[in-house]
Amino acid sequence: MDNEQVTADLAARAHVLMPGVVLDLADLVRHPSVAFPGYPEEPVRATAEATLALLKKYRIPGARLMEIPGGYPAVYAEIPAPAGAPTVLLYAHYDVQPAKREDGWETDPFGAVEKDGRLFGRGTADDKSGIVTIAAALALFGGWPPVGVKIVIEGEEETESHLDAYVPAHPEFFACDAFVILDNGNLSAGEPALTTSLRGVVACTVEVSTLDHPVHSGMFGGAAPDALAALVRILASLYDADGRVAVSGLAYAAPPDVEYPLTAFREGAGILDGVDLTGTGPLGARLWSGPAVTVIGIDAPPVAGAANILVPAARAKVSLRIAPDADPGREVTLLMEHLRRAAPWGAKVEVKETARSAGFVCPAGHPATAAAKEALAAAFGRPVREKGSGGSIPLLSLLHAAAPEAGFVLMGAEDTARSRIHGTNESVDLADLERTIVALALFFVRFAQE
């Protein structure tokens, strides 16, 4: 068959599978697989078993649990390559971000609901859609695609991943000709995109001390320095008047050519009417190529029960997204030095690094990239754009070290404008999910021909 006939045949078979795929995705979503410390282990392990059962249901040979020391098991499978064919490693994850109905969900976050062509629930997009995409795409070939396949579905992507230590210790598990990371997606539904770069992330805590004990704000206020006020001054110094990051010396990278649609961005972020965006310059550059600083937590007296006292000590955690090709050690050092310098009134400041992770730039010119572009264009019926991602996947650098000649394809069924990953009312566009299944199947065919 020619390429058009192959596309039509795979699309027709995927369409027949879709009602079952949606049910299987809904079943996975019902497991509250939050792998964060302090959350129950049983739902996470149950999701690993459910993911394994799903691969077996879709007739994927050799599927098994792979124990990851210190962490939750990964789900692994390996299908040998036909003679002369390349091998592709498919990655997704089954753990999810925490979610509670009272956070603002319109439906039970762990009770999948279909509405207006989208499936709502925690993990529908990030990243249980990746699991069913893998299963369904391989099912279109009866479990025996025209390329060799390795599957790694991990259970700790959203938290501290023990797979990060496992990869360099067992590189043979990850040897392949191309990685397909099904933990990304498009800017808007129906508009196919490949992600070619991801920002890195560093973080630190900053603790400010000004007094050795709390004191009466009336008797001492006006002269005695308040630690919380000092912390506020320090945190405010991270931004200039336009909301740009004010830490000197941070790296910037050239952004992809594609621009992020402003209206879709405002809608996806839920920015209130009349509220301006922060930063300056092209939106894509702000989101994908340059630094972005966020105060992600503050330890201070809560409003409920607040007393009329000066606070002796206060603490915050600061997260900094860094350019895809930036040195995380350099960037976190610049951040911490800035926080120390910004302290007012001689306040005592202690800054501690808590995390560093490099960004990632996909190797250019690899045959896998060309095959993926062709496959996505055929499945969606539209040209494919290349974009960046403001998020981070620390595992990618480790996979690249394990298989330095392999290509990287970052794709998936998420659409940034409406999927709301990590937020309330997360959802996936079911038409995009179907097209992504077809695209992955077509990628197997096209990459086998390279």
Side-chain angles (χ1 to χ4, degrees):
M1 291 190 290
D2 61 26
N3 286 339
E4 288 187 5
Q5 289 175 310
V6 171
T7 299
D9 179 60
L10 290 172
R13 282 188 272 160
H15 191 69
V16 172
L17 281 182
M18 274 307 293
V21 170
V22 175
L23 291 175
D24 289 327
L25 178 55
D27 286 340
L28 289 177
V29 168
R30 292 188 181 98
H31 294 277
S33 50
V34 179
F36 282 41
Y39 284 80
E41 291 189 10
E42 190 279 329
V44 186
R45 296 191 179 278
T47 311
E49 294 286 355
T51 300
L52 176 61
L54 179 68
L55 297 189
K56 291 180 176 179
K57 172 183 175 180
Y58 279 75
R59 297 192 297 165
I60 296 171
R64 61 181 176 85
L65 294 183
M66 183 169 69
E67 292 300 324
I68 305 298
Y72 289 107
V75 181
Y76 182 82
E78 184 168 356
I79 303 171
T87 294
V88 176
L89 189 147
L90 306 174
Y91 169 89
H93 64 88
Y94 64 80
D95 64 311
V96 298
Q97 286 282 319
K100 296 181 291 186
R101 181 69 179 264
E102 55 266 33
D103 291 337
W105 283 78
E106 295 174 4
T107 59
D108 177 1
F110 297 107
V113 174
E114 187 175 346
K115 180 182 178 182
D116 298 330
R118 301 185 71 91
L119 190 69
F120 289 81
R122 176 58 87 222
T124 50
D126 183 24
D127 181 35
K128 292 173 179 177
S129 66
I131 298 171
V132 297
T133 297
I134 291 170
L138 290 171
L140 298 182
F141 301 96
W144 297 99
V147 294
V149 168
K150 295 180 179 181
I151 299 171
V152 177
I153 301 172
E154 78 158 314
E156 295 178 297
E157 194 276 340
E158 302 289 7
T159 183
E160 183 177 351
S161 174
H162 291 81
L163 187 63
D164 289 358
Y166 191 88
V167 173
H170 303 274
E172 70 280 0
F173 276 108
F174 305 94
C176 64
D177 298 291
F179 295 98
V180 179
I181 310 299
L182 289 151
D183 188 17
N184 250 264
N186 309 319
L187 288 177
S188 302
E191 300 282 347
L194 279 178
T195 299
T196 57
S197 67
L198 300 96
R199 287 193 295 200
V201 63
V202 299
C204 64
T205 58
V206 52
E207 185 165 3
V208 183
S209 302
T210 55
L211 309 170
D212 66 9
H213 65 279
V215 295
H216 193 289
S217 61
M219 296 176 64
F220 295 94
D226 179 78
L228 182 54
L231 177 62
V232 169
R233 291 278 297 269
I234 292 171
L235 298 178
S237 77
L238 292 168
Y239 308 89
D240 69 10
D242 292 316
R244 293 175 297 195
V245 179
V247 179
S248 298
L250 295 177
Y252 288 76
D257 292 335
V258 66
E259 185 51 283
Y260 198 129
L262 178 59
T263 301
F265 175 76
R266 291 189 67 98
E267 176 188 349
I271 298 172
L272 301 177
D273 291 343
V275 176
D276 295 332
L277 272 59
T278 55
T280 57
L283 188 54
R286 282 182 260 176
L287 298 171
W288 302 329
S289 305
V293 66
T294 308
V295 180
I296 60 174
I298 295 181
D299 291 334
V303 171
N308 283 317
I309 60 170
L310 299 180
V311 176
R315 186 173 67 151
K317 186 171 185 179
V318 179
S319 173
L320 176 68
R321 299 287 173 170
I322 62 175
D325 55 357
D327 175 359
R330 175 183 178 275
E331 305 297 280
V332 75
T333 298
L334 291 171
L335 172 63
M336 294 192 297
E337 289 175 348
H338 176 100
L339 293 168
R340 293 188 187 100
R341 286 195 306 268
W345 318 318
K348 307 302 181 185
V349 176
E350 184 177 6
V351 185
K352 294 181 179 179
E353 178 183 342
T354 60
R356 68 167 74 178
S357 175
F360 190 74
V361 179
C362 294
H366 196 278
T369 306
K373 281 186 174 180
E374 293 175 7
L376 282 163
F380 281 76
R382 306 195 62 153
V384 179
R385 299 189 290 181
E386 292 188 3
K387 67 178 186 66
S389 172
S392 308
I393 305 178
L395 181 67
L396 299 190
S397 296
L398 299 170
L399 294 176
H400 185 47
E405 301 302 316
F408 279 80
V409 174
L410 278 60
M411 56 183 275
E414 301 170 11
D415 60 291
T416 305
R418 296 185 63 191
S419 281
R420 289 192 175 188
I421 66 169
H422 292 208
T424 57
N425 304 309
E426 179 182 348
S427 68
V428 68
D429 183 278
L430 294 176
D432 262 22
L433 176 59
E434 182 174 342
R435 287 186 282 254
T436 304
I437 291 167
V438 176
L440 181 57
L442 285 170
F443 170 77
F444 297 150
V445 175
R446 301 292 169 88
F447 192 45
Q449 297 169 347
E450 292 289 340

